[in-house]
Amino acid sequence: MTDVRCWTQQPHSPAGGIAPAVRLREVTKRYGKGAQAVTALDRVSVEIPQGTFTAVMGPSGSGKSTFLHCAAGLDRPTSGSVRLGSTELSHLKEAPLTRLRRGRMGFVFQAFNLVPSLTVEQNITLPLRLQGRRADRQWLTETVARVGLSERLRHVPAQLSGGQQQRVAIARALITRPEVIFADEPTGALDPQTAQDVLALLRQAVTDLHQTVVMVTHDPVAAAHADSAVFLAGGRIVTGLAAPTADRVAATMAQLRRAA
Ligand SMILES: Nc1ncnc2c1ncn2[C@@H]1O[C@H](COP(=O)(O)OP(=O)(O)OP(=O)(O)O)[C@@H](O)[C@H]1O
Ligand SMILES: [Mg+2]
């Protein structure tokens, strides 16, 4: 199977339906040239419906990070089309692409990527300041309470646990009310209980705030928090699961490893 449309409610975005938050069409990404060339993504097509939580899975080297980077405009595909809402990213120059990422996307990374010299509050509001916007105090208060950091606003990242730092990163991703939040192994550096808390926050962002979340993960338990899972192997989307359970995800991963 090469073309995976939504695994959830709106298969083909019919006229009058909701446009997907993110749409990749025939996206290929090649690194290097000649004999050294690696095809990290091979004609990947997928639509991520608004207000859904999608897990991206696959063996190591299958193209998950490349997929996320291309979908988020952090890397440019060799060919194919990536759209955020109705905006085609491949036509954008670097400056408008950066503006678009700051204003319309949120990011959560395995390594938290907080600014060590800034307080929790300053880290959370950084995406707004970079856009010359002020924080809406009510939304800031609500977001900080949602991630359980109301008592920590004046602390710096070094004074926080890993789980707390990742909750700062989630608040930072939510503060702009982005069209999509991209998360690359957000629980990769956390113990299972802390990971569970972080996943619950991402889940709530989708269920309560109608955010769209796309999360790369190795972990079947993490993927089970999503509405759907797509599986990459050798740079292609090979299958998907709606309402994934940890057992079904683990079984699909085992099947892919056997096939490889
Ligand atoms: N900058 C690069 N230059 C050359 N090859 C690259 C580069 N980035 C990724 N690749 C190759 O592209 C393929 C896909 O890599 P990618 O990092 O997307 O995989 P992944 O599924 O995220 O793996 P992991 O689970 O180990 O993080 C791999 O073969 C990798 O070696
Ligand atoms: Mg990766």
Side-chain angles (χ1 to χ4, degrees):
M1 194 184 321
T2 56
D3 180 63
V4 175
R5 293 189 169 262
C6 331
W7 293 97
T8 49
Q9 307 85 352
Q10 301 135 2
H12 294 289
S13 303
I18 307 169
V22 180
R23 193 204 72 180
L24 277 71
R25 218 164 255 178
E26 294 282 312
V27 169
T28 293
K29 176 69 185 181
R30 261 183 231 105
Y31 292 108
K33 290 222 158 68
Q36 310 300 319
V38 175
T39 302
L41 288 181
D42 185 9
R43 289 163 291 153
V44 166
S45 296
V46 68
E47 292 184 356
I48 308 287
Q50 286 175 22
T52 63
F53 190 171
T54 304
V56 178
M57 301 210 65
S60 184
S62 60
K64 301 181 296 296
S65 294
T66 306
F67 171 88
L68 200 82
H69 292 162
C70 287
L74 292 163
D75 204 349
R76 287 184 189 274
T78 308
S79 62
S81 149
V82 178
R83 275 195 190 174
L84 174 71
S86 57
T87 309
E88 174 64 48
L89 304 194
S90 56
H91 302 154
L92 292 179
K93 293 202 165 53
E94 225 32 67
L97 193 55
T98 301
R99 277 200 297 279
L100 175 141
R101 276 199 306 267
R102 282 181 185 155
R104 295 172 59 185
M105 297 175 179
F107 293 92
V108 182
F109 297 102
Q110 176 170 354
F112 320 136
N113 296 20
L114 303 178
V115 181
S117 58
L118 297 182
T119 65
V120 166
E121 176 169 344
Q122 289 166 337
N123 267 288
I124 293 172
T125 55
L126 186 60
L128 295 171
R129 286 206 307 288
L130 288 172
Q131 294 174 76
R133 287 164 62 191
R134 276 169 170 273
D136 168 343
R137 291 311 298 186
Q138 197 184 331
W139 180 238
L140 175 63
T141 305
E142 194 182 320
T143 304
V144 166
R146 181 170 280 281
V147 299
L149 290 168
S150 305
E151 311 302 314
R152 298 291 190 140
L153 287 176
R154 310 260 167 276
H155 289 189
V156 293
Q159 295 171 307
L160 304 178
S161 70
Q164 287 165 339
Q165 291 188 55
Q166 198 59 306
R167 289 192 268 135
V168 175
I170 291 174
R172 180 183 59 185
L174 289 170
I175 198 73
T176 59
R177 297 183 171 95
E179 286 165 51
V180 57
I181 294 174
F182 291 104
D184 196 354
E185 299 277 4
T187 57
L190 304 175
D191 67 73
Q193 182 52 54
T194 311
Q196 196 64 24
D197 298 343
V198 161
L199 290 162
L201 284 173
L202 291 173
R203 179 68 253 174
Q204 284 159 20
V206 177
T207 305
D208 303 348
L209 304 173
H210 311 292
Q211 281 289 339
T212 306
V213 175
V214 180
M215 172 181 73
V216 164
T217 180
H218 275 107
D219 178 7
V221 174
H225 287 75
D227 298 308
S228 63
V230 296
F231 294 81
L232 283 160
R236 310 198 74 161
I237 292 182
V238 288
T239 189
L241 285 174
T245 62
D247 286 346
R248 286 170 68 214
V249 169
T252 306
M253 287 294 290
Q255 218 175 337
L256 291 180
R257 275 193 291 267
R258 275 199 300 276

